[in-house]
Amino acid sequence: MLKFALEFAMAMLSVALPAQAETVGFDAARAGAPPPGWRCGSTGGGAARWTVEADAGAPSPPNVLKQSGTAAFPWCVKQGTALGDGAVEVKFKPLAGREDQAGGLVWRWKDGDTYYVARANALENNVALYYVQRGNRVTLKYVDAPVAANVWHSLRVEFRGRRIRVLLNGKIYIELDDNRIAGPGAVGVWTKADSVTVFDDFTYLPVPSRFLE
């Protein structure tokens, strides 16, 4: 465990370079339309609605990505991404929702029915880790965590081989091993049910291959 933690820390330090990390702020996109270069939909049906919207209070104004539809599990992934090992991070703010107020991240996304997802929920005050296979969402772990509504939070996932680590606002809440979904896949954001959630500063970075041997 200690050996892995040290190796992962070294890898994350190494990839924290502007030339290797990619950050999307949605500021160059047209407000009122889906973000260009992203594929959006929902696992399990429904009417997800992903649009770029103006938000002067965003961490990096003027725009954010907003999900305001109602669907089982809305997702929006960055096209052209294929990370097997690395990290993905986003700032999110849960605005409304009677059933859920969730903000999440997906990685190793193969299609709308196969991926990992980590999410924080303002109604439940917890962080959860799932995998989705054949369209079924299966819980790996729940952990209580303070997730205030109408406040910006930072959610981050680090993944390398079997190891998965989930952080909320810089604190590790979940760390475990799972190998149900392996190999490279797309990365993106996620919500649930009637969550109205905004996202900003979506960042993804790969682990250099020399740390994967």
Side-chain angles (χ1 to χ4, degrees):
M1 178 70 72
L2 178 59
K3 181 177 183 291
F4 172 85
L6 291 173
E7 289 177 350
F8 202 101
M10 290 174 65
M12 290 300 99
L13 286 172
S14 178
V15 299
L17 301 172
Q20 295 175 311
E22 179 87 19
T23 298
V24 181
F26 309 103
D27 299 322
R30 179 170 62 90
W38 291 68
R39 179 182 175 187
C40 303
S42 173
T43 303
R49 185 172 186 269
W50 293 94
T51 55
V52 174
E53 302 292 344
D55 187 340
S60 59
N63 291 343
V64 296
L65 176 62
K66 183 177 183 179
Q67 202 297 121
S68 57
T70 299
F73 304 117
W75 48 259
C76 194
V77 297
K78 183 77 168 64
Q79 293 178 325
T81 56
L83 276 67
D85 299 87
V88 60
E89 184 171 357
V90 73
K91 295 181 176 69
F92 75 96
K93 179 165 68 170
L95 299 178
R98 298 185 66 179
E99 182 178 344
D100 270 275
Q101 294 184 17
L105 288 165
V106 300
W107 67 100
R108 293 182 185 164
W109 186 96
K110 316 296 186 180
D111 53 44
D113 292 330
T114 312
Y115 54 87
Y116 280 111
V117 57
R119 70 100 180 101
N121 192 314
L123 286 186
E124 299 176 5
N125 277 304
N126 61 23
V127 173
L129 172 63
Y130 311 94
Y131 68 92
V132 177
Q133 284 187 324
R134 294 182 292 278
N136 297 312
R137 188 190 64 158
V138 181
T139 302
L140 288 170
K141 192 168 186 178
Y142 277 100
V143 176
D144 291 339
V147 187
N150 290 293
V151 172
W152 283 101
H153 302 275
S154 174
L155 184 66
R156 178 182 174 93
V157 177
E158 301 169 351
F159 47 99
R160 178 174 178 264
R162 297 166 53 92
R163 176 62 40 154
I164 300 171
R165 180 183 295 159
V166 182
L167 302 88
L168 177 68
N169 298 325
K171 179 180 177 179
I172 299 173
Y173 280 92
I174 296 175
E175 187 168 11
L176 53 74
D177 289 335
D178 188 83
N179 64 352
R180 289 176 178 84
I181 302 175
V187 292
V189 294
W190 184 96
T191 68
K192 181 177 181 290
D194 63 343
S195 301
V196 179
T197 307
V198 291
F199 300 87
D200 198 10
D201 294 343
F202 176 82
T203 301
Y204 57 96
L205 35 140
V207 175
S209 59
R210 65 182 179 275
F211 289 103
L212 305 180
E213 298 174 356

